[in-house]
Amino acid sequence: MSEAKYQKLKAAGTLDESDWTVAAAASTESKPLTEAQANAKLAKAATVGASDASYGDTSKVPLQPRSGEAMAAAAAPPKSWGDAPPQDAGTCLGRPGANQPGGLTFNRWVWCHRMRIGLRYWEVDEDGREYEGTNSLVAQAVAVGSGKERGIRTYLRVEEDSVSYDDWDPIDEWFTAPDLHMYILSDCAQGYDYCQGTGSGVEHTWDRWKYMDDTWLYWDIYSHEEAATDRDRVLYHDWFFRFGGGEEDEYQGDEGRTDTWRIRCDSASYFSNFGEDFPRACVNYNVVPRLIYKISDTRVEDIARHIRFAQDNPTRTYPVEFDETKDIPGKYSGVRDERGLHRTFEDSTIDKNNEFVKDAACNRRPPYEGDWGLPPYDTSTHDCDEYPFGITYEGAADPAWAFSVRAVDRSQNRSAGGLLNWYLFSDRILLDQDPFWVDIQD
């Protein structure tokens, strides 16, 4: 079959290629992604793929006395990589979201995907080339970030009994297709000045790929700190798997690549967890970062109910606004909208201004004196809780957004504050520029 005939049949939908597609091999890009470019791919969807339902769930985090080690473990990002991905990867791959386009973001540190990849093979001679058949397999892919260095480790293994030979004539399916070669490796799209993949491609015959179902292959991708100029040295990168037909005398397999997946790397020096510093990191970026509080979690029930009410009924919250309109941001909707919250330094001018305005609303001081402010409450057992949080730019003092205050159980308020700090660390929320949203669940 000639290439022209092959393309005609493919366009007509009469050529079976199983369920995989291969993008044309792309050259590396000469410039790094801007923040706007990094966000553009995610602007209209929660993720390029999916995010796990338990992502950012504070109800899973221990807060009991003497639970410091357990809480530290719940928050700590990967400190090193092994020859096989961590246990979370197996959990990730077992969930339905791993099978859909884009894969599943288990959390900022672990992403996984089950995908079919393969090659079309062409017989080549002096008269040109003719399509002979397609070989493909199901690959389990995992990407693991790091909280200690600017890199990720990408893993891949072949799923058992997944190798398929399609469109070959019966004799070549038995005697030619299994002996052809395919190589694979992961790479970075932005070029060596900004990031690079390490490790060489792994090449095997298809008959060998067929019996490698227990073997994890891995490659590392590193981000170059010196290529960034901002305070936290932030760079965004796209990575992908690249594969091709190897060195064949008679047959050619066109080089291809998977879709790309996005990571964000930084050198922020202000992340620490129970005395341990995490000065550099790379995280999965194909997700809308969200903090989850659950009303069923009795440790934070009052705070969860306050936030839900503020998000859903802003005009019925205290303080009463003079113009009778209130717009309170931060509600998780599944998309990267313009209503995210942004972290600021604790004890910064913004934090202190937020506290001053919040206290005015809580204590009925100007400009919230009288019925404009929060009604009196028992200050011996309750705190005045504010949303959006005081450590965000969108807090009480922000002129662009409104806020809400409510009297809540004091111990619950302390717990919610501790879990907020856990979240900011565990999700690697950068100061100033990294938006996050708040998801209140039953």
Side-chain angles (χ1 to χ4, degrees):
M1 186 190 304
S2 68
E3 184 166 4
K5 186 177 180 180
Y6 170 86
Q7 295 296 340
K8 184 177 180 180
L9 289 173
K10 182 181 178 183
T14 59
L15 192 63
D16 179 19
E17 284 195 59
S18 191
D19 61 350
W20 61 274
T21 58
V22 179
S27 60
T28 56
E29 302 168 15
S30 59
K31 296 181 179 180
L33 295 169
T34 65
E35 183 178 2
Q37 290 170 330
N39 290 334
K41 190 175 182 179
L42 312 179
K44 296 182 180 180
T47 61
V48 173
S51 61
D52 191 78
S54 63
Y55 176 93
D57 186 354
T58 59
S59 70
K60 308 295 184 184
V61 182
L63 276 178
Q64 294 79 16
R66 297 185 298 276
S67 64
E69 290 184 6
M71 188 177 184
K79 303 176 187 179
S80 61
W81 300 310
D83 294 342
Q87 183 176 355
D88 283 351
T91 305
C92 183
L93 286 164
R95 297 188 175 175
N99 301 321
Q100 70 180 38
L104 174 65
T105 302
F106 191 74
N107 53 44
R108 285 272 229 186
W109 308 104
V110 177
W111 165 93
C112 71
H113 190 23
R114 292 179 68 249
M115 58 185 175
R116 181 169 287 276
I117 60 174
L119 296 171
R120 303 193 307 261
Y121 285 93
W122 308 79
E123 186 173 17
V124 182
D125 57 28
E126 64 273 8
D127 296 324
R129 64 179 197 166
E130 289 193 358
Y131 172 70
E132 296 295 329
T134 294
N135 294 0
S136 65
L137 54 81
V138 174
Q140 297 179 356
V142 175
V144 181
S146 171
K148 290 290 188 178
E149 54 187 322
R150 298 173 61 102
I152 64 167
R153 175 159 288 186
T154 65
Y155 297 86
L156 182 140
R157 72 175 177 184
V158 180
E159 200 159 286
E160 184 178 6
D161 296 326
S162 69
V163 170
S164 176
Y165 304 116
D166 299 313
D167 303 330
W168 296 91
D169 66 46
I171 294 178
D172 284 340
E173 181 177 339
W174 281 97
F175 296 104
T176 300
D179 292 331
L180 297 176
H181 288 234
M182 182 182 74
Y183 68 82
I184 190 165
L185 71 160
S186 67
D187 209 346
C188 185
Q190 276 69 55
Y192 292 123
D193 289 341
Y194 305 100
C195 62
Q196 68 181 88
T198 64
S200 57
V202 176
E203 181 175 336
H204 293 299
T205 65
W206 282 91
D207 190 56
R208 177 75 178 99
W209 284 118
K210 186 175 182 179
Y211 298 103
M212 290 187 64
D213 49 273
D214 288 330
T215 304
W216 283 104
L217 308 174
Y218 60 86
W219 303 266
D220 299 336
I221 293 174
Y222 289 99
S223 170
H224 299 323
E225 179 180 83
E226 63 276 10
T229 58
D230 66 328
R231 179 193 61 209
D232 294 334
R233 303 282 182 170
V234 177
L235 288 175
Y236 302 89
H237 306 295
D238 289 328
W239 70 274
F240 56 93
F241 288 105
R242 179 159 54 90
F243 45 94
E247 296 295 331
E248 306 289 343
D249 293 331
E250 187 177 357
Y251 292 89
Q252 286 183 356
D254 292 337
E255 184 173 282
R257 50 173 279 183
T258 64
D259 194 7
T260 60
W261 300 285
R262 191 150 294 167
I263 58 174
R264 188 206 68 207
C265 302
D266 69 81
S267 300
S269 60
Y270 43 83
F271 286 93
S272 63
N273 189 38
F274 289 87
E276 183 176 6
D277 292 333
F278 292 81
R280 297 175 181 83
C282 284
V283 300
N284 293 303
Y285 200 66
N286 290 12
V287 70
V288 179
R290 66 189 187 274
L291 162 66
I292 297 174
Y293 285 129
K294 289 186 175 178
I295 290 175
S296 60
D297 185 355
T298 57
R299 304 173 304 171
V300 296
E301 179 184 357
D302 279 7
I303 287 75
R305 290 188 182 278
H306 174 210
I307 295 173
R308 171 175 283 181
F309 191 83
Q311 291 176 339
D312 294 345
N313 304 278
T315 60
R316 296 170 58 193
T317 62
Y318 287 100
V320 177
E321 292 291 347
F322 306 113
D323 60 4
E324 298 183 354
T325 62
K326 296 184 75 170
D327 190 8
I328 297 178
K331 182 177 180 178
Y332 173 72
S333 63
V335 298
R336 279 180 175 264
D337 56 26
E338 299 300 320
R339 304 176 64 83
L341 306 181
H342 297 79
R343 177 186 179 190
T344 185
F345 280 107
E346 192 170 355
D347 294 327
S348 66
T349 300
I350 293 172
D351 184 25
K352 292 176 180 177
N353 288 342
N354 286 339
E355 184 177 10
F356 179 84
V357 176
K358 182 262 295 188
D359 286 345
C362 293
N363 300 311
R364 295 191 162 190
R365 296 199 301 260
Y368 302 112
E369 63 268 31
D371 293 339
W372 299 108
L374 184 69
Y377 60 93
D378 186 352
T379 57
S380 67
T381 58
H382 287 68
D383 285 342
C384 185
D385 179 46
E386 81 272 26
Y387 177 81
F389 310 114
I391 59 167
T392 66
Y393 279 81
E394 294 74 19
D398 185 356
W401 299 102
F403 70 102
S404 171
V405 293
R406 176 186 283 193
V408 299
D409 179 84
R410 176 165 295 165
S411 65
Q412 291 188 36
N413 196 39
R414 301 294 191 271
S415 295
L419 292 170
L420 172 60
N421 288 331
W422 166 84
Y423 169 74
L424 296 173
F425 172 81
S426 66
D427 228 18
R428 193 81 180 185
I429 300 299
L430 299 176
L431 290 162
D432 305 333
Q433 60 179 305
D434 205 7
F436 69 98
W437 288 258
V438 185
D439 186 10
I440 303 300
Q441 301 180 0
D442 290 331

